[in-house]
Amino acid sequence: MDQPGTLIKFGKLEHLQQLRDEGLLYLNNLPYFWGIEDEELRGDPCDCAIQVIRGPKVTMVMPDGNEVTLCTDYTARIRPSKPEKINIFCMYALRPLIEGAFPVDEKNLRFGDHALILMNRDEFIRRLESSLKSQQIVGDADLVEYVNDEHTGKLGPFRKFNGFSYQYEWRLVCYEGAGEPRIIRIGSIRDISVILPANEVNKQIQIHFVEPVGEPARP
């Protein structure tokens, strides 16, 4: 994440306190996200799909004039092998230079009634990378790119449909897990984070654009 900004984790207070005090990251595995039905919050049957294939409805007109449907519109997902060994941890990427990333869309409050805000995002990522390396955990972390909801073709772990774009997601994807939820501890992050009620995030964070000396102020 090379753009200015920070990362926010929305969730239950008890879970965020564990993240702050122990650096505890809880990573569900891929089938967990496939199985949730929660109106484009956590559940995504296409998450990490290698490729999405779509096809049209096909009909055939018989000699008697009757129309027979051979197949309806379809969407096929090519999923990765051993998905149970892929684990994911997600945060909101607040980037003030990206239109729409702030104020935070209130739909994100559905993740939980509190929010952990990183005061030093780069230090958090440094500690995370160090922990993954010391534990020999194979993983990638990056911002999610959002594509048209009718997208056909490649997806992968860092591309999702526009329906999820309000989440402005940064995610950690770890591989070669044990086939169950995974816990990673990076040590206390009390010195670089703060916990607030989720509905206070847009009130407590302020963004100011300071114009260079000699240039007219923005209207």
Side-chain angles (χ1 to χ4, degrees):
M1 182 174 169
D2 57 1
Q3 301 169 359
T6 192
L7 298 174
I8 302 174
K9 182 67 174 177
F10 291 95
K12 295 181 179 179
L13 179 59
E14 62 205 80
H15 298 157
L16 297 180
Q17 288 173 332
Q18 285 185 303
L19 173 57
R20 180 192 62 188
D21 298 340
E22 306 172 37
L24 188 155
L25 281 65
Y26 186 88
L27 293 76
N28 276 305
N29 65 4
L30 197 48
Y32 168 83
F33 296 101
W34 289 346
I36 301 176
E37 296 182 4
D38 58 3
E39 300 178 355
E40 295 182 335
L41 185 63
R42 292 183 176 88
D44 181 5
C46 290
D47 203 343
C48 291
I50 297 172
Q51 188 173 6
V52 174
I53 301 171
R54 302 181 192 274
K57 177 179 180 180
V58 179
T59 63
M60 180 172 62
V61 178
M62 304 301 288
D64 61 1
N66 290 324
E67 185 176 84
V68 177
T69 298
L70 300 182
C71 67
T72 58
D73 295 351
Y74 67 89
T75 299
R77 298 175 287 269
I78 300 176
R79 290 172 165 174
S81 61
K82 299 181 180 179
E84 71 281 359
K85 295 180 177 293
I86 299 175
N87 297 82
I88 299 173
F89 176 81
C90 310
M91 299 183 77
Y92 183 95
L94 192 160
R95 292 163 287 161
L97 300 183
I98 303 298
E99 184 177 356
F102 187 80
V104 177
D105 192 309
E106 291 189 357
K107 285 188 287 187
N108 289 284
L109 274 57
R110 294 186 293 159
F111 284 107
D113 54 8
H114 280 75
L116 180 143
I117 303 173
L118 292 176
M119 313 301 287
N120 188 332
R121 176 204 69 194
D122 293 342
E123 175 60 18
F124 170 79
I125 293 176
R126 186 197 67 77
R127 294 180 191 181
L128 175 59
E129 290 176 343
S130 176
S131 180
L132 294 177
K133 183 177 181 180
S134 66
Q135 298 177 64
Q136 297 183 322
I137 297 174
V138 179
D140 295 312
D142 206 345
L143 296 167
V144 170
E145 174 191 359
Y146 296 96
V147 298
N148 188 286
D149 287 336
E150 299 303 316
H151 171 81
T152 298
K154 294 182 179 180
L155 275 182
F158 297 102
R159 299 181 93 188
K160 299 189 75 173
F161 292 124
N162 274 332
F164 295 92
S165 63
Y166 70 93
Q167 297 178 9
Y168 287 92
E169 187 179 337
W170 171 91
R171 58 171 31 186
L172 167 68
V173 181
C174 293
Y175 307 96
E176 302 175 11
E180 58 189 21
R182 189 170 200 165
I183 291 177
I184 297 174
R185 286 183 171 86
I186 65 172
S188 172
I189 57 170
R190 290 183 67 94
D191 58 324
I192 58 170
S193 65
V194 63
I195 295 177
L196 298 174
N199 59 11
E200 288 290 317
V201 169
N202 287 333
K203 301 174 185 176
Q204 295 291 337
I205 295 178
Q206 298 182 23
I207 296 173
H208 301 284
F209 292 94
V210 180
E211 300 291 345
V213 176
E215 293 193 13
R218 297 186 182 187

